[in-house]
Amino acid sequence: MNIQVIASSSKGNCYKIDDGDTSLLIECGISYKEIQEALNFKISSIKACLITHEHKDHSKAYKDLLNKGIRLVMSKGTKEALGITENTVKLIKAKESIKIGSFNIMAFDTVHDVAEPIGFLIESNKTGERLVFFTDTIYSRYTFKNIDYYMVECNYVKKFLDDKDINSTWRNRVVKSHMSLETLLQFLASTDLERTKKIYITHLSDTNSDERYIKTEIQKAIGKVIEIC
Ligand SMILES: [Zn+2]
Ligand SMILES: [Zn+2]
């Protein structure tokens, strides 16, 4: 499976996966122009775009994608929150599976301050590989097995947040809606990573994370190939 990180931060998220048969976008939280450029203007090669929730850093270009005939996949709550009335959107519920091209996509619920946030377990029928994608979640309600790739959020380092004298309303929002390095390490420690080839660490906050520190801590803990996006 080919994974392309087009954008990853609190400013905008967009990823492309491709198994040689089908190409999908996960999130479209940047401008349509930026997406087009990243895809060398081959937007028509994209079979669908999966969206985890309605926040702009995950959904910004959804109207343009709809207009270009790209199928969007999201929860009913996300669709309503975005105010989409077109019935071309493919709805998915937690613990439900759908098939798009060569991919089987199962949704699971995440823990975020929005209508109906979800993550995805994606399996390629072409390569047999399995990928877990979750973001914008305080913690994961689930553990997974036999996963080749994880794409998971590490928004902030709790230790750094505690050291800083920052606005407490803002701090509370971060802590009650995003995943810390400490929580991610707990998740990874309780996960069987035997089959895992690579872990992508996504959605780092600009102000409350430190790329090098996060990379060192995760690598020390699990000894796997990771990429900070
Ligand atoms: Zn976000
Ligand atoms: Zn969000």
Side-chain angles (χ1 to χ4, degrees):
M1 200 184 302
N2 216 306
I3 297 172
Q4 182 186 354
V5 177
I6 299 173
S8 180
S9 79
S10 299
K11 289 195 196 107
N13 296 275
C14 185
Y15 312 87
K16 183 188 149 194
I17 62 169
D18 184 335
D19 66 356
D21 178 298
T22 303
S23 291
L24 299 177
L25 286 182
I26 309 177
E27 318 284 41
C28 57
I30 52 176
S31 72
Y32 181 62
K33 190 169 166 273
E34 288 170 287
I35 296 176
Q36 270 186 314
E37 279 167 6
L39 300 175
N40 292 321
F41 298 89
K42 288 181 191 138
I43 194 85
S44 57
S45 65
I46 300 295
K47 193 112 190 182
C49 175
L50 319 182
I51 298 178
T52 58
H53 68 293
E54 62 268 34
H55 281 156
K56 221 175 182 171
D57 59 318
H58 300 262
S59 68
K60 189 174 181 180
Y62 80 88
K63 270 187 195 156
D64 297 293
L65 294 179
L66 264 183
N67 290 339
K68 295 290 166 196
I70 308 290
R71 191 167 4 157
L72 304 182
V73 178
M74 62 184 76
S75 69
K76 186 164 178 274
T78 299
K79 183 186 173 196
E80 286 168 2
L82 286 171
I84 301 174
T85 49
E86 284 90 337
N87 48 22
T88 49
V89 169
K90 178 80 189 152
L91 296 180
I92 188 167
K93 267 189 210 154
K95 295 181 185 140
E96 221 175 61
S97 291
I98 58 167
K99 199 172 174 303
I100 293 182
S102 53
F103 287 112
N104 277 328
I105 299 155
M106 194 185 100
F108 54 88
D109 49 307
T110 56
V111 191
H112 195 45
D113 54 351
V114 289
E116 192 183 346
I118 50 174
F120 302 104
L121 168 56
I122 301 168
E123 183 167 343
S124 164
N125 295 321
K126 177 152 173 137
T127 67
E129 291 172 299
R130 284 151 56 87
L131 177 151
V132 163
F133 183 97
F134 65 66
T135 185
D136 295 52
T137 187
I138 310 172
Y139 61 92
S140 174
R141 287 203 171 103
Y142 307 99
T143 51
F144 305 88
K145 262 189 210 156
N146 301 324
I147 302 297
D148 299 276
Y149 303 99
Y150 281 95
M151 301 183 80
V152 290
E153 170 184 39
C154 179
N155 189 264
Y156 66 99
V157 179
K158 189 167 179 300
K159 201 176 91 169
F160 294 170
L161 209 64
D162 292 341
D163 288 347
K164 267 194 207 167
D165 178 29
I166 47 167
N167 176 296
S168 66
T169 315
W170 183 80
R171 175 201 293 241
N172 283 341
R173 207 241 128 202
V174 170
V175 170
K176 286 184 182 150
S177 56
H178 286 283
M179 187 172 287
S180 66
L181 172 65
E182 289 82 350
T183 303
L184 177 61
L185 285 173
Q186 271 173 19
F187 168 81
L188 292 173
S190 61
T191 300
D192 177 3
L193 297 172
E194 174 87 37
R195 179 170 149 178
T196 305
K197 296 171 191 157
K198 193 166 176 180
I199 301 173
Y200 293 79
I201 308 295
T202 68
H203 208 306
L204 270 69
S205 134
D206 291 337
T207 42
N208 300 300
S209 57
D210 174 327
E211 205 177 309
R212 223 170 41 193
Y213 179 79
I214 290 174
K215 188 165 189 174
T216 312
E217 288 300 300
I218 297 177
Q219 246 156 10
K220 213 163 63 185
I222 59 169
K224 285 272 170 184
V225 181
I226 66 163
E227 180 174 327
I228 306 281
C229 302

